Amino acid sequence: MTSPAPAGTGPTEADWAAAVAAVRGLPATARVLLICHVNPDGDALGSMLGFGLGLRRLGVRQLQATFPGPPEVPESFRWLPGIELLVPQDEAYPDPDLVICFDAASESRLGDLVDRLAGSGAALVLDHHASNTRFGGIHLVDPHAAATSVVAEELLRRLGVALDAEIATGLYVALSTDTGSFRFEATTPAVHAMAGRLLATGIRPGEISRRIYDTRPFGAVRLFGEVLLRARLEPAAAAGHGLVWTYATRDDLARHDQPAYVLEALIDSVRCTAEADVACVVKQVSDREWAVSLRSKGAVDVSAVAVALGGGGHRFAAGFTGRGTVDEVVASIRAELSGALLAG
Ligand code: AMP
Ligand code: MN
Ligand code: MN
């Protein structure tokens, strides 16, 4: 167990040394399990698989990657190098020698895989959420990192693993998706410097971007049209900063014959609304359960709203699980926003 670093600061040298020792000290027969958060996004999958390929280069042979819930990877990520490391959660080593967790702020994001943390020899947590609850044994948590892949790249460097095109692809997808394709404020000089190192391996950013952002089935295009048409604008919400929101039901998905993950891209078409600082998409998970995505252009700290409603995330991108009807879920958001914690 490494001593906790003060909130807001990144890993200490002792944390890095402990992480390096945990990997370097593995016997040749060690079983290593990589896990990431439920409904994995580009950062969760890209960091996990890119790092996994790095472990392969180090000679780790017994290596699996998994995530909680149905073993369905969004179509836009199915081509990622290292995807062959993935196994359904039920087939993951029950008692691995080392668990490495990517992009999860808390155990609640790990579903049934929480038992693998308890059953493992050592648990290493790589993350960049300020709200990380430090649920492992060794923590590399850097709230200033734009993506978990920033932390993963640094650990690979300290392990002496050279970047190659396969490793770089996952790390690049992670960096690109968590910075909104290099558009968000998190896009620092350090982010571009890392992107430069990754591109120097020969990966093709145009091709990667087309696959992850600009490809979707026609059914999803029509579904988005329908869901966007029912968007509501509330200019007075969030103390006058404005709220725009919409929702999608399981019936909407069924009518257009689409899987739930296609809705992940929807928030980007909603949050461009000029008249609202806060954007919200409410996605039906089961009868009275909804996965809620929140975004802010900068005036409102939506992570505070999400945390108040049982979720988490970053200041300008957060989420939670809502219960009840759509109107009840949106009313709960409206209420939190009316006392809105304005972002400093
Ligand atoms: P999303 O809107 O799903 O892209 O999520 C945006 C951010 O909110 C991510 O950083 C997630 O880690 C966080 N987040 C989303 N849903 C939840 C949840 N149910 N609990 C905690 N954090 C969440
Ligand atoms: Mn994520
Ligand atoms: Mn992330």
Side-chain angles (χ1 to χ4, degrees), residues 41 43 103 128-129 147-148 178 314:
D41 53 17
D43 190 23
D103 202 39
H128 68 129
H129 292 89
T148 295
D178 262 28
H314 309 280

Side-chain angles (χ1 to χ4, degrees), residues 7 28 40 51 73 85 101 190 212 248 282:
F51 191 83
V73 175
L85 296 172
C101 180
I212 58 179
V282 180

